Amino acid sequence: MATDRILIVDDEETLCEVLKLNLENEGYDVDIAFSAEQALGYNLKEYSLILLDIMMGEISGIKMAKILKADVATTDIPIIFCTARDTEDDMIMGLNLGADDYIMKPYTVRNVIARVKSILRRTTTHKIATALTEKINVLQVEGLKLDLEFKRCTVDGEEVKLARKEFELLVYLVKHRGKICSREQILSRVWSDEVVVLDRTIDVNITRLRSKIGAYSSYIVTRSGFGYGFRD
């Protein structure tokens, strides 16, 4: 598993060095920026979390947070404000900007590390849940990909236009790959909303699918007298 990267943005150099040392002892990769201007010159999308002071030079921590949240590449990076601004209004403002936590100075290093671990643990759990959801909504066999939510088929990254029944037929075959599905099974599942459907309808749609999915056409298998399947 890749090591989480943390960026500390604070103009107090001694504080930064202490935090860096202790976070590295916990196994994190840590970089330091002594101003928002310096930090914005980094490739920020590579970081797992940013520890951000509020009161700095021309670009404050508040302004930097707004920049991060406005950019699609960095909007999901967790931010912890670490600041001497300790009023309730300051905290509410920081959290409303999308910060994940707000730690008031002076603070202990143990407190910061505990907050960092908590947020990164929550972020990892969220990413895993999102990946599982995406996996459920997508069927993929090598370069053939079927997005069940957006009803979209791509072949080696290129979108292929499929009619509704063509898409539903391909989904059914891929879901049952490795086995032969009878015509009766296909008709009852793919054409269940139709009153009368001829067997020839399946043949026509299979032919169209083979012509559209290119190199993967050979994956659709015909077993005369039995039906159709999609090989592993």
Side-chain angles (χ1 to χ4, degrees), residues 1 121-134:
M1 182 180 294
R121 187 163 52 243
R122 186 171 71 236
T123 302
T124 299
T125 300
H126 175 72
K127 286 179 179 178
I128 292 172
T130 300
L132 287 173
T133 300
E134 290 176 350

Side-chain angles (χ1 to χ4, degrees), residues 160-184:
V160 175
K161 298 293 185 182
L162 299 182
R164 177 186 169 188
K165 289 303 179 183
E166 292 170 357
F167 183 83
E168 292 175 356
L169 175 57
L170 186 55
V171 167
Y172 183 79
L173 293 176
V174 172
K175 280 186 174 181
H176 295 83
R177 61 184 178 270
K179 63 180 290 187
I180 296 299
C181 302
S182 70
R183 292 174 177 275
E184 292 75 17

Side-chain angles (χ1 to χ4, degrees), residues 25-140:
N25 286 339
E26 294 293 326
Y28 300 112
D29 285 339
V30 183
D31 292 324
I32 294 173
F34 298 118
S35 68
E37 290 88 342
Q38 182 183 354
L40 290 169
Y42 294 172
N43 188 5
L44 295 176
K45 64 184 179 182
E46 294 183 351
Y47 292 97
S48 306
L49 182 144
I50 296 175
L51 290 164
L52 182 58
D53 187 20
I54 288 181
M55 295 184 291
M56 293 185 287
E58 287 188 25
I59 301 179
S60 68
I62 295 293
K63 187 172 181 180
M64 179 173 170
K66 289 180 178 178
I67 293 171
L68 292 171
K69 294 302 177 183
D71 187 338
V72 68
T74 56
T75 188
D76 291 329
I77 299 175
I79 295 173
I80 299 179
F81 279 125
C82 297
T83 177
R85 294 178 62 166
D86 58 0
T87 69
E88 184 177 17
D89 286 343
D90 288 328
M91 182 184 300
I92 291 172
M93 177 183 63
L95 296 175
N96 284 340
L97 279 174
D100 294 78
D101 207 342
Y102 193 102
I103 305 175
M104 292 175 284
K105 297 178 181 179
Y107 50 71
T108 65
V109 172
R110 288 180 61 192
N111 183 20
V112 174
I113 291 174
R115 306 282 189 98
V116 166
K117 286 183 176 180
S118 176
I119 288 173
L120 289 177
R121 187 163 52 243
R122 186 171 71 236
T123 302
T124 299
T125 300
H126 175 72
K127 286 179 179 178
I128 292 172
T130 300
L132 287 173
T133 300
E134 290 176 350
K135 188 174 182 180
I136 291 170
N137 290 330
V138 172
L139 293 175
Q140 185 161 0

Side-chain angles (χ1 to χ4, degrees), residues 141-158:
V141 179
E142 298 182 17
L144 176 66
K145 185 176 181 180
L146 298 168
D147 188 322
L148 306 185
E149 186 171 355
F150 290 96
K151 313 301 181 189
R152 184 170 179 261
C153 173
T154 57
V155 174
D156 296 331
E158 296 294 325

